[in-house]
């Protein structure tokens, strides 16, 4: 009962604070509902960005990868810091100058309405196929693995997952549909603090157990009894998934992170909602620092699981994190930890749902079906659309249990069909005044054909890491954009106008703090390399 009480208590506290912070907000206007009235502070933006990104896929997936391989799984988090610095210094000044609510809206300003709708449709399709049902399912599956809900209630795994999907979906929908972006961002920030506290509990308690109550003795035991090569994050150039080849850190990984952190609607929407450019930059740079912390409470847990369980979990590496949690978290803390994990799952779902509503209402409903509708009516339509999406996701999610185990990876891989051309389209839109609307349309078609052909390589005996594929295709996409721009330039130069949406005065410490963040990123890579722990322990 105490576990249930603490779980409900923390979850209710988050809901109450979110309501308190948003009860007087105007949610019947476009900016009020979709961009939190452009009133988010840097701290709230950072907390929301971090928790939107973190979910059970990171907690369970990265720990499972590091358990099976080495610290290389941290590359997904640590290298993201560079992309967040680019978001702060390069992308946000232009986005906020244009006063946009969605990325496709910027592309309409720069190219034309057809480009906008193509990109909006691709974003919506990606969220519908990948995020909503699969985030609900994967979150519910991980939650059930850690807390054995099926055994506690005496029901089947399918029934437990269905109940969890319903609970996560309903609460997430309430935040996203009825509270707007600010309710999502505030709840994310509170849950983010809880996740950092709860997340660090796992490795700290595990190390103390290894040291019979002494943290220092536990560290000594940990580094002595775990193979030195597991502390290395630098993998060979020909490594295959789940490892990340070291050269692609400067190529495909960077390109992938730039797409995710700088052009992905569900991520950057909270950065677009900042009080000013300075607040948005602070939020992005703070998130850059937070991503450097991830390896110390997520990826390292895989190595700790290896110390506790040896090779016994190699047939099911995703069990590494749940089993470590069950081993080290005392019963009296399980309720709080359950609430924190619930919040992390919730964040990914409600952020994606909020972005879907934003994309549909602003990029499709208003321009295509009712151009003269009021903001209040548009918000009402958005709530109806979001409710429908939530219901579909809740109903479909449990049945993902019957799908092949590789379905989620396949769906994630589908993002590669449009991630690089979208990034190339945005970057060329920034730095070229003469590239026409034809260019992104041609680039998208060529990219899809080439990416599909790349998936046939294994059938002829060629195994290439998909990040190498993205490395090559991004360069090809940029080349096509520039070539079309050279052969068929715009009739007039494009000029990005300042619409006066927010104060565009940059944060005066943005550049020096960004340099500090970049140095810290290099420091984390040094620590988990042959020059650092992997070399010193060996």
């Amino acid at each position: 009962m105490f576990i249930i009480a603490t779980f409900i208590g923390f979850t209710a506290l988050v809901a109450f604070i979110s309501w308190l912070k948003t009860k007087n907000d105007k949610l019947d206007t476009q900016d009020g509902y979709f961009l939190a009235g452009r009133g988010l502070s840097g701290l709230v933006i950072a907390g929301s960005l971090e928790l939107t990104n973190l979910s059970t896929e990171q907690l369970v997936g990265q720990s499972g990868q590091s358990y099976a391989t080495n610290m290389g799984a941290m590359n997904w988090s640590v290298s993201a810091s560079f992309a967040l610095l680019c978001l702060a210094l390069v992308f946000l000044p232009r986005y906020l100058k244009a006063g946009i609510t969605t990325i496709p809206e910027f592309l309409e300003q720069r190219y034309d309405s057809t480009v906008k709708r193509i990109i909006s449709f691709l974003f919506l399709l990606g969220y519908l196929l990948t995020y909503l049902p699969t985030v609900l399912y994967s979150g519910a599956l991980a939650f059930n693995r850690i807390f054995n809900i099926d055994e506690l209630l005496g029901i089947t795994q399918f029934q437990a997952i269905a109940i969890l999907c319903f609970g996560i979906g309903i609460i997430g929908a309430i935040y996203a549909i009825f509270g707007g972006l600010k309710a999502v961002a505030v709840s994310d920030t509170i849950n983010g603090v809880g996740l950092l506290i709860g997340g660090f509990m796992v490795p700290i308690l595990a190390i103390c157990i290894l040291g019979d109550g002494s943290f220092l003795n536990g560290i000594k035991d940990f580094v002595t009894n775990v193979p030195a090569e597991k502390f290395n994050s630098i993998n060979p150039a020909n490594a295959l998934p789940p490892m990340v080849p070291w050269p692609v850190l400067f190529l495909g990984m960077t390109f992938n992170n730039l797409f995710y952190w700088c052009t992905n609607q569900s991520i950057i929407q909270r950065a677009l909602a900042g009080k000013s450019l300075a607040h948005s930059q602070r939020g992005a740079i703070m998130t850059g620092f937070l991503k450097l912390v991830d390896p110390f409470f997520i990826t390292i847990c895989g190595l700790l699981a290896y110390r506790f369980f040896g090779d016994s979990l190699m047939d099911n590496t995703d069990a590494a994190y749940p089993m470590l949690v069950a081993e080290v978290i005392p019963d009296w803390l399980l309720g709080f930890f359950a609430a924190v994990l619930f919040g992390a799952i919730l964040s990914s779902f409600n952020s994606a749902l909020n972005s879907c509503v934003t994309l549909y209402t602003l990029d499709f409903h208003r321009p295509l079906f009712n151009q003269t509708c009021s903001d209040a009516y548009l918000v009402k339509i958005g709530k109806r659309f979001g409710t429908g999406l939530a219901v579909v996701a809740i109903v479909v999610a449990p049945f993902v249990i019957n799908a092949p185990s590789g379905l989620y990876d396949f769906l994630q891989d589908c993002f590669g069909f449009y991630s690089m051309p979208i990034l190339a389209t945005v970057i060329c839109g920034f730095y070229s005044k003469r590239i026409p609307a034809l260019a992104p349309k041609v680039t998208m078609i060529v990219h899809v054909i080439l990416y599909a052909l790349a998936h046939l390589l294994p059938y002829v005996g060629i195994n290439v890491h998909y990040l190498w594929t993205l490395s090559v295709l991004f360069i090809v996409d940029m080349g096509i954009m520039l070539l079309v721009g050279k052969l068929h330039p715009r009739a007039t130069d494009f000029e990005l106008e300042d619409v006066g949406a927010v104060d565009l005065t940059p944060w005066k410490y943005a550049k020096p703090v960004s340099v500090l963040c970049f140095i810290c990123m290099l420091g984390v890579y040094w620590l988990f390399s042959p020059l650092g722990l992997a070399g010193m322990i060996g």
Side-chain angles (χ1 to χ4, degrees):
M1 286 300 296
F2 180 75
I3 294 175
I4 296 174
T6 52
F7 169 77
I8 294 175
F10 185 80
T11 303
L13 177 65
V14 173
F16 176 72
I17 295 174
S18 300
W19 171 79
L20 205 62
K21 290 287 187 179
T22 59
K23 65 176 182 177
N24 296 321
D25 291 348
K26 282 184 66 63
L27 297 179
D28 58 351
T29 65
Q30 178 175 315
D31 279 358
Y33 186 77
F34 298 112
L35 287 180
R38 294 192 186 271
L40 298 186
S41 67
L43 180 62
V44 172
I45 291 170
S48 189
L49 281 172
E50 172 74 353
L51 206 65
T52 297
N53 172 242
L54 286 185
S55 68
T56 49
E57 287 307 306
Q58 280 74 29
L59 293 170
V60 175
Q62 279 194 26
S63 296
Q65 287 181 9
S66 59
Y67 169 83
T69 57
N70 56 23
M71 283 295 292
M74 78 175 198
N75 287 311
W76 294 101
S77 296
V78 176
S79 65
S81 291
F82 176 74
L84 282 156
L85 299 183
C86 291
L87 173 64
L89 301 177
V90 178
F91 288 78
L92 281 177
R94 292 168 172 83
Y95 289 155
L96 293 178
K97 184 178 181 179
I100 61 169
T101 306
T102 68
I103 293 300
E105 189 180 339
F106 167 76
L107 297 179
E108 181 180 37
Q109 292 182 20
R110 175 58 184 84
Y111 299 103
D112 64 17
S113 59
T114 303
V115 172
K116 179 189 79 168
R117 292 197 182 99
I118 290 172
I119 302 303
S120 289
F121 177 76
L122 291 172
F123 273 132
L124 271 174
L125 195 63
Y127 291 142
L128 287 172
L129 292 178
T130 305
Y131 245 60
L132 294 174
T134 52
V135 162
L136 277 182
Y137 169 75
S138 62
L141 182 64
F143 203 90
N144 186 56
R145 280 179 177 173
I146 293 174
F147 300 105
N148 300 313
I149 303 298
D150 50 353
E151 295 178 11
L152 287 174
L153 300 179
I155 56 180
T156 66
Q157 184 185 42
F158 178 85
Q159 291 170 330
I161 287 173
I163 292 171
L164 288 167
C165 286
F166 180 80
I168 298 167
I170 290 296
I171 297 175
I174 290 172
Y175 279 114
I177 297 168
F178 299 104
L181 181 63
K182 187 170 182 180
V184 172
V186 171
S187 64
D188 283 356
T189 303
I190 303 166
N191 280 318
V193 174
L195 181 64
L196 287 175
I197 296 171
F200 271 107
M201 280 182 185
V202 179
I204 290 172
L205 291 174
I207 290 171
C208 287
I209 290 172
L210 292 177
D212 293 324
S214 168
F215 185 79
L216 292 178
N217 288 341
I219 290 287
K220 184 178 179 180
D221 177 302
F222 181 42
V223 298
T224 301
N225 292 290
V226 173
E229 60 268 19
K230 281 196 166 291
F231 289 91
N232 183 26
S233 66
I234 311 299
N235 293 313
N238 61 349
L240 294 173
M243 287 187 169
V244 177
W246 73 264
V248 301
L249 293 176
F250 308 98
L251 298 167
M253 177 68 83
T254 297
F255 305 152
N256 189 72
N257 280 334
L258 286 173
F259 162 76
Y260 181 82
W261 290 101
C262 302
T263 68
N264 183 5
Q265 183 66 32
S266 69
I267 288 294
I268 65 140
Q269 191 166 333
R270 50 269 306 124
L272 297 178
K275 294 179 180 180
S276 64
L277 173 60
H279 276 281
S280 294
Q281 287 181 321
R282 275 199 291 268
I285 295 170
M286 287 168 63
T287 311
F289 280 101
L290 289 174
K291 298 317 294 177
L292 301 181
V293 177
D294 288 1
F296 299 97
F297 74 95
I298 299 178
T299 323
I300 201 72
C301 287
L303 275 62
L304 285 164
Y306 186 87
R307 172 67 185 95
F308 273 83
F309 310 115
D311 293 327
S312 62
L313 305 178
M314 284 301 178
D315 290 337
N316 183 18
T317 58
D318 283 346
Y321 189 79
M323 288 191 64
L324 184 67
V325 169
E327 184 76 17
V328 305
I329 296 290
D331 290 344
W332 62 273
L333 274 176
L334 276 177
F336 168 73
F337 190 83
V340 166
L341 188 66
F342 187 77
I345 301 166
L346 196 68
S347 173
S348 295
F349 178 76
N350 62 27
S351 295
L353 187 61
N354 182 265
S355 294
C356 284
V357 170
T358 305
L359 287 167
Y360 171 74
T361 52
L362 299 185
D363 294 344
F364 288 99
H365 189 85
R366 171 171 272 172
L368 293 180
F369 305 119
N370 196 339
Q371 295 181 8
T372 60
C373 68
S374 65
D375 280 5
Y377 179 78
L378 196 68
V379 169
K380 185 185 295 185
I381 290 296
K383 289 179 179 180
R384 292 175 183 172
F385 182 74
T387 301
L389 285 183
V391 169
V392 171
I394 290 169
V395 171
V396 172
F399 295 97
V400 179
I401 196 172
N402 299 316
S405 60
L407 175 65
Y408 189 79
D409 286 337
F410 169 75
L411 292 174
Q412 285 291 82
D413 193 32
C414 285
F415 278 112
F417 276 100
Y418 60 82
S419 59
M420 293 303 99
I422 290 177
L423 178 61
T425 298
V426 171
I427 291 177
C428 287
F430 285 166
Y431 292 106
S432 172
K433 297 181 179 182
R434 301 301 295 271
I435 291 179
L438 176 65
K441 299 168 188 174
V442 173
T443 302
M444 185 67 70
I445 294 171
V446 174
H447 175 92
V448 168
I449 293 171
L450 293 178
Y451 192 72
L453 290 175
H455 281 70
L456 301 178
L457 291 176
Y459 296 101
V460 294
I462 302 174
N463 291 310
V464 179
H465 199 291
Y466 68 91
L467 286 175
W468 278 116
T469 303
L470 295 182
S471 302
V472 173
L473 288 184
F474 176 71
I475 296 171
V476 171
D477 294 342
M478 289 291 289
I480 295 172
M481 292 286 295
L482 294 172
L483 179 62
V484 175
K486 185 73 173 177
L487 297 177
H488 300 281
R490 282 171 55 110
T492 58
D493 287 353
F494 170 76
E495 295 292 341
L496 184 64
E497 297 180 3
D498 181 2
V499 301
V502 296
D503 179 7
L504 294 179
T505 305
W507 182 32
K508 61 180 179 179
Y509 300 115
K511 290 182 180 178
V513 176
S514 294
V515 171
L516 176 61
C517 183
F518 187 76
I519 292 171
C520 291
M521 182 186 75
L522 296 179
V524 173
Y525 272 114
W526 171 84
L527 181 64
F528 295 106
S529 76
L531 299 175
L533 283 175
M536 290 186 286
I537 296 171

